[in-house]
Each structure stands twice: as structure tokens, then as C-alpha cells.
Amino acid sequence: MIGLITGQVQYLMAPMACIMTTSGVGYDIELPLPSFCQLHLNEQASIWTHFHVREDAQLLFGFIDRKERDVFRQLIKINGVGAKMALAMLSAMSAAELKMHVEQESETALTRIPGIGKKTAQRLLIELKDKLKNIEVDNTSLEFTHQPIVVSHEGSIVAEVEGALISLGYKEREAQQAIKAAKSNGDVFADTQGLLKATLKQLSGF
């Protein structure tokens, strides 16, 4: 099926999706935060994709890094971990961070991800230990850079970030408090991704 798309980023949408056009066709692709933040509007990009078929929908998930897609595919093989939860996990932490926490058996780190309780975290640590050990991820790329999406008003940025967090499973009040905490140091965020990244750091406790 569809494994790799190279084309122009036609549209960026919150929360964390894009329309990519190639050969006259536009593909609606959902991405984890690190991949989303590397996309530049109206520029060329290559996205490794996973075509996911459900009874009620056909979805396309995309990743800048092929290894990140490999981790995603291992996650959705686990009973009880759907594509949306796997995407949320790779938005809350990078593939390298996830592998590190699994290797360190850090249950606490996994329970910081929305929708993952203590029992689920314990099961993930057991099942992922063998699944991820042979996947090589870039341990030097725990931080990622991006080009800002131009947004004309600070309120629009906050609204988009709040919507993205709610879509990841955070409660509205929890999202609002995290946004407030991210902005408490007086930092000015000129783009959605910058505030979203800072807010997720607040929620993860790192």
C-alpha cells in the first residue's frame, strides 16, 4: 500500500495533520508532534506513511523518520493500543525517548502520557522490551527544530494548542493550566508548534 509520499505540503492543520499534494492528488495525513513540527508550508517533503484501515475509516499516518514509523507499527501490534494512542505516545515523547524509557523500565514516564494508566504502562514495558530492542533510533535527535507557522494572533495560537492537547486526551482544564505554565516565564511564542512543544514538556514533567 502507500509507504512513502514525496510532494508539497499544501496545508497544515491543528491538531497535527497536513494535506500533501503529489501528482495532482492531495493526501490527508496525521502526524506525531516531532514530524509535524518539521514540515514547512508550501515546501517539498518526504513522509513515510502507514495506511490504517478500520471498519469506519481509512486513515493515513505519517512520519518524517522511517524508524519512528517502525516504532509506531510495533506499538499498534500491542493489544489495547490503537493507532490514536500510538500517535499520542509518539507526540508526548520521541521514538528515542520511548525506547530509552522502555529500556530503563520507567513506568512513571509512560503514565504521564494521556490514556495510559499504571497497569497499561506495566504491560507496555513488558511487551515493548523485545519489540523495540532491534530498532535503531537516533538518540542525538531528542530535540527537533522547525520553521514557524505564521499565525496572526496570540489567541489563535493558544486555541490551536488547546485543541491539539484535547485531541491527545488531555482534559480542557489540564490543557489550559499547562499552557499557562508554559507561558509563565514570560516567553513569547510566535507559532503554534513552539507553544505546543513547551506545553507538552510541562505536562510530561521533564
Side-chain angles (χ1 to χ4, degrees), residues 154 158 178-189 195 198-199 202:
E154 183 180 4
V158 172
I179 292 170
K180 184 178 180 181
K183 291 165 60 68
S184 64
N185 293 328
D187 295 333
V188 177
F189 298 95
L195 179 57
T199 304
Q202 291 289 331

Side-chain angles (χ1 to χ4, degrees), residues 69-140:
R69 185 188 64 174
D70 293 344
V71 172
F72 174 85
R73 285 177 167 173
Q74 292 301 323
L75 287 172
I76 61 176
K77 290 179 181 178
I78 298 174
N79 185 35
V81 178
K84 293 291 186 179
M85 179 180 285
L87 203 67
M89 291 176 67
L90 291 173
S91 292
M93 59 182 66
S94 68
E97 288 171 325
L98 177 60
K99 185 176 181 181
M100 177 187 70
H101 291 313
V102 170
E103 290 174 346
Q104 295 177 351
E105 299 184 352
S106 179
E107 177 187 315
T108 302
L110 295 186
T111 56
R112 293 193 181 107
I113 301 171
I116 297 182
K118 185 175 181 179
K119 289 184 178 180
T120 302
Q122 291 172 342
R123 181 163 52 83
L124 285 170
L125 289 175
I126 294 171
E127 296 195 36
L128 285 175
K129 191 170 185 179
D130 290 332
K131 286 181 169 64
L132 298 185
K133 67 180 182 181
N134 293 324
I135 297 179
E136 295 182 4
V137 294
D138 185 1
N139 293 316
T140 65

Side-chain angles (χ1 to χ4, degrees), residues 22-172:
T22 180
S23 302
V25 179
Y27 295 90
D28 189 336
I29 307 172
E30 296 183 50
L31 309 104
L33 179 64
S35 292
F36 177 76
C37 288
Q38 292 184 63
L39 295 180
H40 300 166
L41 190 62
N42 297 323
E43 292 191 10
Q44 293 287 310
S46 291
I47 297 180
W48 296 91
T49 58
H50 175 82
F51 185 59
H52 191 73
V53 179
R54 301 188 323 211
E55 290 184 2
D56 59 341
Q58 297 183 22
L59 305 171
L60 198 59
F61 297 97
F63 309 86
I64 294 295
D65 184 353
R66 183 172 59 84
K67 296 298 184 181
E68 188 176 42
R69 185 188 64 174
D70 293 344
V71 172
F72 174 85
R73 285 177 167 173
Q74 292 301 323
L75 287 172
I76 61 176
K77 290 179 181 178
I78 298 174
N79 185 35
V81 178
K84 293 291 186 179
M85 179 180 285
L87 203 67
M89 291 176 67
L90 291 173
S91 292
M93 59 182 66
S94 68
E97 288 171 325
L98 177 60
K99 185 176 181 181
M100 177 187 70
H101 291 313
V102 170
E103 290 174 346
Q104 295 177 351
E105 299 184 352
S106 179
E107 177 187 315
T108 302
L110 295 186
T111 56
R112 293 193 181 107
I113 301 171
I116 297 182
K118 185 175 181 179
K119 289 184 178 180
T120 302
Q122 291 172 342
R123 181 163 52 83
L124 285 170
L125 289 175
I126 294 171
E127 296 195 36
L128 285 175
K129 191 170 185 179
D130 290 332
K131 286 181 169 64
L132 298 185
K133 67 180 182 181
N134 293 324
I135 297 179
E136 295 182 4
V137 294
D138 185 1
N139 293 316
T140 65
S141 60
L142 297 180
E143 293 294 329
F144 50 89
T145 60
H146 61 274
Q147 177 173 313
I149 295 177
V150 178
V151 181
S152 59
H153 192 272
E154 183 180 4
S156 298
I157 296 174
V158 172
E160 289 184 4
V161 170
E162 184 177 327
L165 293 173
I166 291 172
S167 75
L168 289 173
Y170 293 100
K171 296 179 180 179
E172 181 178 354

